[in-house]
Amino acid sequence: MMSEFVSVAIDGPVGAGKSTIARAAASALGYVYVDTGAMYRSVGLHCRRKNADMSSPEDIAAQLGDISLEIRIIDGIQHIFLNGEDVSEEIRLPEISMATSAVSAVPEVRSALLGMQRDFAEKNNVIMDGRDIGTVVLPNARVKIFLTASPEIRAKRRFDELKAKGREVTFEEVLNDLNKRDYNDSHRAAAPLKAAEDAVLADTSGLDFEQSVELVCGLIKERL
């Protein structure tokens, strides 16, 4: 039996603008936006705080018993709470990115978060973004979109975002980090990054933010 609620799965590589585009599309369409990356980032943050060995899947998995995650929608914006603390800002720091890549490759982490993500989709019209939403988390999503852009474009967007926040980084550092994460995400054993067979490809390389949101909203309306 098909759920009365509509699920939209948006997947794609790091720096494709999934979160900002999905959030804006959800706002425009009246859906709830669920940022699964924030969940993985929260686990990464917790593991860093506990000085876990990020090269040891066993050590990462051992931290899960001490983690309580909660999603709250405040003034229409998703906030993520880690053990009662709002970490929505801290999880966006660059040093959390590689930790996120490490924890997201651990099967125990993925299965722990899977139930929470599916439960949310069963109770709301959602746009959910991540790396394996259409392939693993919501395989029956009514709409699946694989959002991408060239590595150089994605790195430039990320670079501009970090500079605007006052971070001292070079474009080369951001591009190298992005290429490394692309490789790790697409070659991991647990739910590697790839487009679902029934996903539509949305390349935003030549589009600005508003055009990208328009493209995604148009694809969702077309398929519904």
Side-chain angles (χ1 to χ4, degrees), residues 121-176:
E122 282 172 12
K123 298 171 182 172
N124 303 273
N125 289 324
V126 300
I127 294 183
M128 192 177 292
D129 78 290
R131 303 281 194 281
D132 63 347
I133 308 303
T135 52
V136 176
V137 181
L138 301 176
N140 298 319
R142 295 266 293 278
V143 183
K144 298 179 186 179
I145 296 170
F146 193 81
L147 192 69
T148 190
S150 71
E152 291 74 21
I153 293 285
R154 291 187 283 125
K156 177 69 167 65
R157 290 172 182 168
R158 183 79 180 123
F159 174 71
D160 290 344
E161 184 184 312
L162 292 172
K163 293 298 279 186
K165 290 180 178 176
R167 307 291 300 190
E168 287 300 320
V169 290
T170 65
F171 174 76
E172 287 70 27
E173 286 170 342
V174 175
L175 180 60
N176 288 339

Side-chain angles (χ1 to χ4, degrees), residues 40 63 74 102 110 115 156 159-161 167 182 212 215:
Y40 287 100
Q63 310 301 320
I74 303 172
R110 305 198 75 82
K156 177 69 167 65
F159 174 71
D160 290 344
E161 184 184 312
R167 307 291 300 190
D182 276 355
S212 300
L215 172 65

Side-chain angles (χ1 to χ4, degrees), residues 160-206:
D160 290 344
E161 184 184 312
L162 292 172
K163 293 298 279 186
K165 290 180 178 176
R167 307 291 300 190
E168 287 300 320
V169 290
T170 65
F171 174 76
E172 287 70 27
E173 286 170 342
V174 175
L175 180 60
N176 288 339
D177 179 56
L178 182 141
N179 284 330
K180 193 186 299 181
R181 286 195 64 196
D182 276 355
Y183 182 87
N184 290 346
D185 289 343
S186 57
H187 286 77
R188 67 187 179 212
L193 168 69
K194 63 178 180 179
E197 286 181 12
D198 51 347
V200 59
L201 182 69
D203 191 321
T204 65
S205 295

Side-chain angles (χ1 to χ4, degrees), residues 6-221:
V6 175
S7 295
V8 177
I10 298 183
D11 292 305
V14 62
K18 296 186 301 296
S19 298
T20 49
I21 292 169
R23 185 183 291 114
S27 176
L29 298 171
Y31 283 31
V32 174
Y33 166 62
V34 181
D35 174 9
T36 61
M39 298 178 179
Y40 287 100
R41 284 177 173 274
S42 298
V43 175
L45 172 62
H46 178 82
C47 288
R48 270 184 63 102
R49 286 178 171 180
K50 295 295 183 180
N51 295 313
D53 179 356
M54 303 308 284
S55 65
S56 166
E58 294 79 16
D59 201 12
I60 291 171
Q63 310 301 320
L64 289 170
D66 300 328
I67 294 175
S68 165
L69 290 182
E70 184 188 355
I71 293 174
R72 294 185 209 162
I73 307 299
I74 303 172
D75 296 330
I77 303 292
Q78 175 190 282
H79 287 249
I80 188 100
F81 286 76
L82 169 64
N83 297 335
E85 175 193 353
D86 188 344
V87 293
S88 306
E89 290 294 322
E90 191 176 351
I91 59 172
R92 299 298 167 190
L93 296 174
E95 54 265 31
I96 304 302
S97 293
M98 291 312 290
T100 303
S101 222
V103 303
S104 62
V106 178
E108 290 88 345
V109 174
R110 305 198 75 82
S111 60
L113 298 182
L114 188 62
M116 189 190 302
Q117 293 160 359
R118 285 180 174 165
D119 184 59
F120 214 80
E122 282 172 12
K123 298 171 182 172
N124 303 273
N125 289 324
V126 300
I127 294 183
M128 192 177 292
D129 78 290
R131 303 281 194 281
D132 63 347
I133 308 303
T135 52
V136 176
V137 181
L138 301 176
N140 298 319
R142 295 266 293 278
V143 183
K144 298 179 186 179
I145 296 170
F146 193 81
L147 192 69
T148 190
S150 71
E152 291 74 21
I153 293 285
R154 291 187 283 125
K156 177 69 167 65
R157 290 172 182 168
R158 183 79 180 123
F159 174 71
D160 290 344
E161 184 184 312
L162 292 172
K163 293 298 279 186
K165 290 180 178 176
R167 307 291 300 190
E168 287 300 320
V169 290
T170 65
F171 174 76
E172 287 70 27
E173 286 170 342
V174 175
L175 180 60
N176 288 339
D177 179 56
L178 182 141
N179 284 330
K180 193 186 299 181
R181 286 195 64 196
D182 276 355
Y183 182 87
N184 290 346
D185 289 343
S186 57
H187 286 77
R188 67 187 179 212
L193 168 69
K194 63 178 180 179
E197 286 181 12
D198 51 347
V200 59
L201 182 69
D203 191 321
T204 65
S205 295
L207 306 179
D208 63 21
F209 176 69
E210 286 75 17
Q211 291 169 328
S212 300
V213 174
E214 205 173 294
L215 172 65
V216 167
C217 286
L219 289 171
I220 293 170
K221 288 174 182 172

